[in-house]
Amino acid sequence: MKFKAAIAYKVNEPLVVQEVEIDKPLDVGQVLVNIKVSGICGAQLLEIMGHKNNAKFMPHMMGHEGFGEVVETGPGVTTVKVGDSVVAHWMVGEGIEAPFPTYKSGSTRIGGGKITTFAEYAIISENRLTPVPSNTDPDLCALLGCGLTTGLGVVNNECNVKYGESFMVLGCGGVGLNLIQGAKMNSCYPIYAVDINNNKQEIAKKLGATHFINLKETKFKDVLSSVDIIVDTVGSADLIAEAIALLSNEGRYIMVGHLPPNETLRIPNAVDMFFGKGKLIRATQGGRTKPHEDIPRYVKLAEAKILEVNTLITHRTSLHNINEALDLIRDSQAGRIMIDL
């Protein structure tokens, strides 16, 4: 079976959209999924730059949040069956940790991770799939693969939020907007949205931000002096050094965005970390999300109109135009971009 996929061939080069085919029969724990919708996460930009320890595995397929339908299951699979609607997520859930799949294009072997979603079909490890009711909104399902679950998971599991605490989000992309939404749901106040483009202001405020700061126009020190919780989705050492100084005496700084490899993080006047009851700096991987437990709860919240989905999506595209979509994310011009497959 042949199908279209977006392939990373070389570091810092555009993805190549081409026809590929499955290299061999499904192995233990592998599931063939017909991908319907995929989101684009900022982490894919890091993969293209080779910052995810992935450069040596190129060429390889891409994408880690999506929605699709199970077409075939390999030996041992029990948590999903043919015909199931599924969320495809990079966080580990229930089921078998399957071997890495391989694909081919002509005589070229194409690698694949435990999950890939920039393709019409993908072989995905059983423990990267969670079944959902067949009538669940496809866009919601795709966002539950990373953007929504990471944002809500960070707020719920990493921040130790108290009612009325101040909250700041650095970077209003797909994950950042969900952090804002999660902070509002947890009654934080005020909620500061920080970005470098004013076009993010309206959407950030729709999702719960009370203040918007454009760092190209305003310095932190000119508008505030203390924040209880700061969540960084940008991954810039200079920005982190500046923002950490804003932490309150019980402040928590959560790093979602990855710094480049070999980058050094510097904390100016580090003795400040010991003020009050002590401050905290933590790096998170997906907000400690447990997909098989959290995704069903989030689906219920969306059905009850408590969780907003449509506002998060600023652009839609096709697989053919994926490189243009990636440029929008590089330029901080988008919230979440969805690929219709």
Side-chain angles (χ1 to χ4, degrees):
M1 179 181 66
K2 295 184 178 181
F3 54 91
K4 291 288 182 65
I7 310 297
Y9 271 91
K10 294 183 179 180
V11 171
N12 289 324
E13 290 195 5
L15 302 186
V16 177
V17 178
Q18 66 182 76
E19 221 173 46
V20 301
E21 58 186 321
I22 296 170
D23 196 27
K24 58 185 179 181
L26 296 183
D27 207 331
V28 172
Q30 292 182 339
V31 181
L32 179 62
V33 179
N34 176 202
I35 305 295
K36 307 289 189 181
V37 182
S38 174
I40 304 178
C41 180
Q44 271 82 68
L45 299 182
L46 300 178
E47 287 185 80
I48 290 169
M49 292 187 286
H51 289 180
K52 288 283 206 175
N53 197 31
N54 62 300
K56 58 188 175 183
F57 299 112
M58 292 184 177
H60 63 76
M61 290 172 55
M62 299 273 291
H64 70 205
E65 66 169 28
F67 164 75
E69 180 181 322
V70 174
V71 175
E72 183 182 347
T73 59
V77 173
T78 59
T79 63
V80 298
K81 63 184 185 301
V82 173
D84 277 354
S85 294
V86 289
V87 173
H89 44 78
W90 64 268
M91 284 102 33
V92 176
E94 288 188 315
I96 297 170
E97 174 85 3
F100 289 102
T102 56
Y103 306 83
K104 62 182 180 180
S105 177
S107 60
T108 302
R109 286 171 59 86
I110 308 293
K114 304 294 182 176
I115 169 179
T116 51
T117 59
F118 292 175
E120 294 170 333
Y121 290 84
I123 298 172
I124 300 176
S125 180
E126 181 186 13
N127 63 1
R128 265 61 168 197
L129 296 170
T130 297
V132 292
S134 60
N135 62 348
T136 309
D137 175 22
D139 287 340
L140 167 65
C141 292
L143 291 168
L144 289 171
C146 177
L148 266 171
T149 43
T150 296
L152 298 183
V154 166
V155 177
N156 275 331
N157 301 324
E158 307 279 19
C159 293
N160 190 25
V161 178
K162 299 177 180 66
Y163 297 133
E165 285 193 307
S166 54
F167 198 101
M168 175 183 283
V169 176
L170 304 180
C172 298
V175 173
L177 293 172
N178 283 301
L179 286 161
I180 292 168
Q181 183 169 203
K184 180 183 178 182
M185 291 168 66
N186 280 268
S187 299
C188 293
Y189 184 85
I191 299 172
Y192 300 96
V194 179
D195 205 275
I196 58 173
N197 281 313
N198 285 327
N199 61 4
K200 299 289 186 66
Q201 181 169 355
E202 181 179 357
I203 186 172
K205 289 193 170 181
K206 277 185 179 179
L207 289 166
T210 59
H211 299 72
F212 183 84
I213 299 171
N214 184 330
L215 284 185
K216 283 188 174 180
E217 301 173 354
T218 306
K219 295 183 181 297
F220 285 135
K221 64 181 181 180
D222 294 335
V223 290
L224 74 166
S225 59
S226 176
V227 182
D228 296 313
I229 301 166
I230 302 174
V231 186
D232 170 38
T233 73
V234 178
S236 161
D238 290 341
L239 182 59
I240 293 171
E242 184 178 0
I244 279 177
L246 300 174
L247 285 176
S248 68
N249 286 342
E250 294 183 57
R252 285 84 80 198
Y253 195 103
I254 313 297
M255 295 189 296
V256 177
H258 292 199
L259 275 72
N262 302 315
E263 183 81 35
T264 298
L265 178 60
R266 178 175 171 270
I267 304 175
N269 196 31
V271 70
D272 281 352
M273 294 298 298
F274 297 88
F275 288 177
K277 295 183 179 179
K279 306 175 186 182
L280 178 147
I281 302 172
R282 171 181 288 161
T284 182
Q285 276 286 75
R288 288 191 280 166
T289 293
K290 296 179 180 179
H292 55 288
E293 295 179 4
D294 296 337
I295 285 174
R297 292 190 293 109
Y298 297 157
V299 169
K300 288 192 294 183
L301 286 176
E303 289 174 347
K305 308 298 183 185
I306 296 171
L307 191 60
E308 175 58 40
V309 176
N310 293 331
T311 302
L312 299 165
I313 300 168
T314 59
H315 300 76
R316 305 195 77 90
T317 191
S318 65
L319 194 62
H320 178 73
N321 294 316
I322 191 168
N323 288 303
E324 289 83 352
L326 288 164
D327 284 340
L328 287 173
I329 298 173
R330 287 187 184 95
D331 294 337
S332 190
Q333 296 290 334
R336 217 32 155 207
I337 301 178
M338 309 304 289
I339 307 170
D340 293 308
L341 290 147

